[in-house]
């Protein structure tokens, strides 16, 4: 009889192990990106041109990854850091408009993140620094009774490619991420 119990215990243990989440982060960087934040569509930027109040304003990065400013028209922002965009704007302004332009660029509002699946209110939400999947779910109204509470799928743009990975709920969220909370079985 004890042999049957041991076999049954082994079968239960193997089944429980098969149900445990397997985090597959091979295609997505688990750590925050090394280096400065890269701009993309949906970001809103506060651009200040010192001494030029008519050029200083809040500009949105459009769907093509560009911003449009007076005098210099459209300039690529997609994939650049705020410091790189500052230099690009200064170069354009220096080419015939201002003698010694000094430009400051900061992110006013980050592009939103998205939460789908087994949450109370799926949708698009404003990004907040230091967010994890768990805080993103809280912003979306919490888990439904069937929501998987230990892991989620995160889809992120990595080098011009969408990558999806299964991550723990303590995983750090970035602007533009799409989080999918799956249905749990038990």
């Amino acid at each position: 009889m004890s042999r049957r119990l041991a076999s049954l215990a082994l079968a239960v243990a193997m089944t429980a192990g098969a149900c445990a989440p397997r985090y597959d982060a091979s295609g997505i960087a688990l750590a925050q990106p090394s280096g400065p934040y890269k701009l993309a569509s949906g970001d809103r930027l506060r651009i200040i041109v010192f001494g030029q109040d008519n050029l200083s304003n809040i500009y949105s990065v459009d769907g093509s990854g560009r911003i449009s400013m007076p005098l210099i028209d459209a300039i690529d922002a997609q994939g650049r850091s705020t410091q790189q965009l500052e230099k690009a704007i200064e170069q354009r302004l220096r080419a015939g408009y201002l003698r010694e332009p000094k430009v400051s660029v900061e992110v006013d509002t980050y592009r939103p993140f998205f939460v789908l699946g087994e949450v109370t209110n799926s949708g698009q939400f404003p990004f907040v620094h230091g967010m994890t999947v768990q805080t993103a779910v809280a912003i979306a109204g919490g888990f439904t009774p069937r929501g998987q509470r230990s892991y989620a799928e995160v889809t992120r743009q990595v080098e011009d490619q969408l990558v999806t990975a299964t991550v723990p709920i303590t995983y750090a969220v970035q602007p533009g991420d799409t989080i999918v909370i799956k249905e749990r079985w038990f």
Side-chain angles (χ1 to χ4, degrees), residues 76-184:
D76 288 326
Q78 179 86 25
R80 289 184 170 175
S81 68
T82 54
Q83 294 82 11
Q84 291 170 329
L85 186 58
E86 285 174 3
K87 301 298 180 214
I89 293 170
E90 285 175 355
Q91 279 183 329
R92 290 261 189 105
L93 289 171
R94 193 175 292 119
Y97 299 106
L98 299 174
R99 196 175 277 166
E100 292 287 328
K102 297 290 183 211
V103 177
S104 171
V105 176
E106 64 183 44
V107 178
D108 183 61
T109 307
Y110 291 92
R111 60 190 174 272
F113 68 95
F114 305 87
V115 182
L116 305 170
E118 294 296 325
V119 292
T120 304
N121 301 308
S122 297
Q124 167 182 309
F125 301 94
F127 177 78
V128 179
H129 268 293
M131 285 184 28
T132 63
V133 170
Q134 188 171 28
T135 54
V137 169
I139 290 170
F143 295 102
T144 65
R146 293 183 311 237
Q148 177 53 260
R149 295 164 194 250
S150 59
Y151 65 92
E153 283 186 356
V154 173
T155 301
R156 176 177 295 162
Q157 183 90 23
V158 178
E159 311 234 350
D160 298 330
Q161 181 178 346
L162 285 177
V163 178
T164 301
T166 302
V167 298
I169 62 167
T170 57
Y171 180 74
V173 174
Q174 295 180 14
D177 282 356
T178 299
I179 302 162
V180 178
I181 304 299
K182 297 291 188 174
E183 184 177 359
R184 65 183 167 155

